[in-house]
Amino acid sequence: MPFANVYLNNSTHGTVSDDKGHFSLTNVPLGTVEVVASFVGYQTNQQTLRLTGAQSQPITFRLKPSAKTLAGVTVKASRNEKKWQQQLRQFKQQLFGEPFGSQCVLTNPEVLQFTEEKGHLKATASEPLVIDNEALGYRLWFDLAYFDGEPKQVHYGGAARFEELKTTNERQVNRFRRNRMRAYLGSTRHLMASLISERTSRKAF
């Protein structure tokens, strides 16, 4: 697939395939990684690799058209704007969470479609969601796979890549660093790192 996005899930590491669909990812960390390929109008594809050495490892993706692409263009009825805004508020609140949810900006909400059934809010997106996290200093592209929100809980999944928001303000840079550490401490990633280093007993979980 020419000009598809190819990236390591939940990282800043990614590239775009060339006009023949070829791509190369360099400086990939050793261990288990999840490689994602996505293109607008096609289903996102993910593959897990186990890298144990410096040798290159070939990987091939075959993207399938999404159901909406196969269905073709249809004329949509005008949506209930007030209802859609209410659904959007719930979606953002549950997706962004705390403590920095109020500082996240969804820049392309128009790609979202919502349905409700028996107290469940479900969401799909025609394109990757673009989210600016102004607390941590990242722009995130999120390929939403599913979203199922209830009043007291939410289930969602997908794949994400991100890049740092550019700033020359040193105070802003330091603020990003402090917030990233705050988000990291007590997280699952922090817990696993502590287990590996055998320092769990000295940390507060």
Side-chain angles (χ1 to χ4, degrees), residues 2 22 38 62 67 85 87 98 113 116 119 126 132 148 169 180 189 202:
H22 299 152
S38 69
R62 290 181 174 84
Q85 289 292 343
Q87 294 168 329
E98 296 296 340
Q113 299 85 41
E116 290 190 44
S126 58
D132 285 349
D148 185 350
N169 187 313
R180 289 172 188 175
R189 182 179 177 185
R202 297 198 296 272

Side-chain angles (χ1 to χ4, degrees), residues 64-193:
K64 298 179 180 179
S66 66
K68 292 182 180 179
T69 300
L70 291 173
V73 178
T74 58
V75 177
K76 294 183 179 180
S78 59
R79 69 188 182 199
N80 183 323
E81 188 64 23
K82 183 177 180 180
K83 182 66 174 178
W84 186 85
Q85 289 292 343
Q86 292 174 344
Q87 294 168 329
L88 178 62
R89 282 195 294 272
Q90 178 183 339
F91 174 82
K92 292 193 294 184
Q93 182 180 30
Q94 293 187 308
L95 181 69
F96 296 159
E98 296 296 340
F100 301 118
S102 62
Q103 298 180 64
C104 292
V105 178
L106 176 61
T107 66
N108 60 339
E110 69 279 358
V111 305
L112 284 164
Q113 299 85 41
F114 300 112
T115 57
E116 290 190 44
E117 182 180 354
K118 297 180 180 179
H120 291 249
L121 175 66
K122 297 188 178 183
T124 59
S126 58
E127 298 179 16
L129 302 178
V130 182
I131 301 166
D132 285 349
N133 188 320
E134 297 176 350
L136 304 183
Y138 288 117
R139 169 164 288 180
L140 175 78
W141 286 264
F142 185 51
D143 288 293
L144 181 68
Y146 63 90
F147 179 95
D148 185 350
E150 300 178 68
K152 295 185 178 181
Q153 63 180 344
V154 62
H155 303 279
Y156 64 86
R161 62 185 175 93
F162 54 93
E163 66 180 26
E164 292 194 22
L165 296 176
K166 305 299 182 183
T167 180
T168 58
N169 187 313
E170 188 63 27
R171 292 182 63 183
Q172 185 73 289
V173 171
N174 290 333
R175 174 174 168 269
F176 289 160
R177 289 172 179 166
R178 290 194 303 270
N179 286 341
R180 289 172 188 175
M181 181 57 67
R182 180 183 172 190
Y184 172 71
L185 293 175
S187 66
T188 301
R189 182 179 177 185
H190 182 217
L191 173 61
M192 295 306 297

